[in-house]
Amino acid sequence: MSATISGFSKLSKSEKIDWIVRHYLSNSKSAKQTITQYFNADQKLQQLHDEFIENTITNYYLPLGVAPNFVINNKTYAIPMAIEESSVVAAASNAAKFWMQRGGFKAKVLSTTKIGQVHFVFTGNFEDLKQYFNTIKSKLITDTKPITANMEKRGGGIIDIELRDKTEDLEHYYQLHATFETLDAMGANFINSCLEQFAKTFKTEADKYLSAPIEIVMSILSNYVPNCLVRAEVSCKVEDLKDKTISGIAFAEKFVRAVNIAEIEPYRAVTHNKGIMNGIDAVVLATGNDFRAVEAGVHAYAVKNGKYSSLTHAKIEEGVFTFWIEIPLALGTVGGLTGLHPLVKVALDILGKPSAKELMQIVAVAGLAQNFAALRSLTTTGIQEGHMKMHLMNILNQFNATHEEKEEIIQHFKTHTVTHSAVVSEIEKLRQ
Ligand code: MEV
């Protein structure tokens, strides 16, 4: 089954669904029912979601959970998380509780600037280009005033524009490399609008000053934001790490060793950082931020020294265990989806309407907490025990277990190891 179509976006929603069902879904009746059962009864709310993107056919649900008991800089938060992976919210909650009893998390924003670039080609003399840039630089900035006025009133705007010669790497290639402060906005639209204006002014005025033309290739912000950086950490006396099964020092040493492995071994570092992103993406998504931008920037940062490495670090010094993360996070608490998606507004309200800086701290802490929980399980019980306990419900749902069946099976697995086959055989036993 397949087909092509022109003018798909012009069809009504129900025509789009009919077309897709007819051409791509063999079990058309049940597929259509599945698609339509996710419609929201509130027409206005549904329309709002329909209009976020083009060609919407229905809504795609993810659970929105909350991990309570996060103490960050002595303030208590319940952190909203949008994520499908069974164990993530539980792990965050466990780590939050663990550190709540040991002084909580400390977080600090180290820097907040973002970068955008106008990429262009110039075949003339570099000295002439440099002179032209110095002459035109202030006009580049004044021509963007209609775009920057509001941001400047609040204390942000364009910080600087540099001319960068990249011709050693690529023939005739130069950049206008600009730095921005976008305060509580993620700032993508603001930065891109400024850049497009720089490009326009830069090209138009060039005819008056240069013998060779400027050819603009593109103008776009960078999602690599190593100067929009936040640090979060936890620390406590080594002996305070002890629990029922392991001494404080044994735990701390194993934990630090596990982090050291992720620092030097890329295969492990990717999985280690994936666990961190479980926490980060979930909060980024719940608060209406762009998780793809965050992912791209964070992973670029993880390879900043030329080899992919851990985003977290840990040490034991003079009897004190310290575990920390330093990551770039370009986040917004105004603009974008933040004022549009009703659940995003609720998520930001749960967090007490944070500024972008405060949200950077919360998100970094969510990543650190997630990594702590993962490493704690990995270096003690192994990951599957907790993971499979949380996954049990998914298996039961796959088998359409009734409420009574679920209760009985959950009870059984309180004292037995959860594996897929063990759960299936319990279900079968019950149903015989
Ligand atoms: C699973 O989603 C995440 C972990 O693999 C992270 C890790 O290995 O550190 C448990």
Side-chain angles (χ1 to χ4, degrees):
M1 281 175 111
S2 73
T4 58
I5 183 172
S6 74
F8 184 70
S9 66
K10 309 260 170 357
L11 301 181
S12 70
K13 186 159 134 187
S14 106
E15 286 166 340
K16 283 177 189 136
I17 294 170
D18 286 342
W19 186 86
I20 209 86
V21 166
R22 194 163 57 247
H23 295 288
Y24 285 90
L25 294 160
S26 51
N27 193 350
S28 54
K29 216 165 153 203
S30 80
K32 186 166 177 176
Q33 205 211 336
T34 303
I35 291 169
T36 54
Q37 78 182 356
Y38 281 90
F39 287 177
N40 199 295
D42 179 337
Q43 299 283 326
K44 255 180 93 181
L45 188 66
Q46 186 54 60
Q47 192 182 345
L48 178 74
H49 284 74
D50 288 351
E51 290 173 0
F52 282 150
I53 60 165
E54 192 170 81
N55 296 344
T56 309
I57 57 167
T58 188
N59 306 305
Y60 184 96
Y61 289 179
L62 279 184
L64 178 68
V66 171
N69 300 322
F70 270 95
V71 176
I72 307 173
N73 297 340
N74 301 319
K75 186 172 163 187
T76 307
Y77 297 86
I79 301 189
M81 305 177 90
I83 186 147
E84 87 301 344
E85 192 174 324
S86 344
S87 53
V88 169
V89 178
S93 306
N94 283 341
K97 207 160 161 198
F98 183 93
W99 284 106
M100 180 176 70
Q101 290 147 3
R102 290 162 180 81
F105 294 82
K106 300 280 172 277
K108 195 174 160 187
V109 171
L110 304 177
S111 52
T112 56
T113 58
K114 293 159 191 165
I115 298 296
Q117 297 167 320
V118 177
H119 305 269
F120 67 96
V121 168
F122 176 67
T123 53
N125 180 287
F126 179 55
E127 285 310 312
D128 294 348
L129 181 66
K130 221 156 74 179
Q131 209 170 23
Y132 165 58
F133 172 72
N134 289 331
T135 312
I136 205 71
K137 185 170 169 182
S138 61
K139 185 167 169 53
L140 292 177
I141 292 174
T142 47
D143 281 3
T144 58
K145 283 293 169 203
I147 308 165
T148 57
N150 269 337
M151 187 67 87
E152 279 176 4
K153 253 189 244 157
R154 287 181 277 135
I158 301 158
I159 294 174
D160 195 18
I161 314 174
E162 291 167 54
L163 171 68
R164 290 198 170 176
D165 179 356
K166 304 295 283 186
T167 52
E168 276 200 7
D169 297 325
L170 189 65
E171 204 180 19
H172 307 313
Y173 167 43
Y174 299 89
Q175 301 167 345
L176 297 179
H177 182 96
T179 315
F180 300 86
E181 171 56 69
T182 62
L183 305 169
D184 284 336
M186 192 271 192
N189 282 331
F190 171 77
I191 294 174
N192 289 336
S193 300
C194 288
L195 294 170
E196 287 187 5
Q197 183 57 53
F198 295 161
K200 208 162 156 186
T201 305
F202 198 62
K203 183 169 170 56
T204 316
E205 297 292 317
D207 297 343
K208 293 189 210 154
Y209 294 87
L210 294 170
S211 47
I214 298 275
E215 189 198 319
I216 304 290
V217 180
M218 59 191 160
S219 310
I220 188 75
L221 92 165
S222 171
N223 290 123
Y224 186 42
V225 285
N227 291 317
C228 189
L229 208 59
V230 56
R231 179 189 158 101
E233 82 167 44
V234 284
S235 79
C236 70
K237 285 197 197 132
V238 164
E239 62 257 31
D240 293 344
L241 291 169
K242 75 167 181 299
D243 74 6
K244 282 172 248 149
T245 56
I246 191 164
S247 74
I249 186 67
F251 174 77
E253 281 175 353
K254 264 191 165 205
F255 192 97
V256 170
R257 178 61 55 89
V259 175
N260 292 158
I261 290 171
E263 283 168 336
I264 60 103
E265 165 55 56
Y267 277 99
R268 173 57 202 149
V270 171
T271 316
H272 177 99
N273 290 347
K274 186 274 182 188
I276 295 170
M277 300 316 287
N278 278 344
I280 289 183
D281 283 342
V283 190
V284 168
L285 198 55
T287 56
N289 276 280
D290 181 344
F291 63 92
R292 289 85 57 208
V294 167
E295 283 276 349
V298 164
H299 292 295
Y301 193 73
V303 77
K304 69 180 188 309
N305 295 326
K307 183 173 166 187
Y308 192 91
S309 179
S310 170
L311 293 161
T312 54
H313 308 281
K315 63 178 181 189
I316 305 167
E317 245 171 44
E318 294 175 7
V320 175
F321 168 82
T322 308
F323 177 48
W324 72 99
I325 186 167
E326 206 177 89
I327 41 160
L329 287 173
L331 301 176
T333 52
V334 298
L337 265 199
T338 57
L340 266 182
H341 195 302
L343 278 177
V344 167
K345 285 194 227 168
V346 170
L348 289 167
D349 283 348
I350 294 173
L351 292 173
K353 296 191 174 50
S355 64
K357 277 186 173 176
E358 193 178 351
L359 185 60
M360 284 167 76
Q361 297 176 5
I362 296 165
V363 170
V365 163
L368 186 70
Q370 207 65 44
N371 190 222
F372 179 78
L375 294 182
R376 189 169 175 226
S377 300
L378 285 166
T379 57
T380 55
T381 56
I383 203 75
Q384 283 308 84
E385 187 183 291
H387 190 76
M388 290 309 286
K389 253 192 197 139
M390 294 306 301
H391 191 56
L392 174 58
M393 195 55 85
N394 288 343
I395 306 174
L396 293 173
N397 283 332
Q398 265 166 21
F399 284 86
N400 295 318
T402 62
H403 180 69
E404 291 71 28
E405 286 173 334
K406 281 179 183 171
E407 283 208 328
E408 206 156 314
I409 290 174
I410 288 168
Q411 196 56 35
H412 171 85
F413 281 104
K414 280 192 175 150
T415 50
H416 293 81
T417 306
V418 182
T419 65
H420 193 273
S421 57
V423 178
V424 174
S425 90
E426 272 315 296
I427 295 174
E428 282 167 355
K429 219 161 42 180
L430 263 187
R431 288 180 179 173
Q432 258 161 29

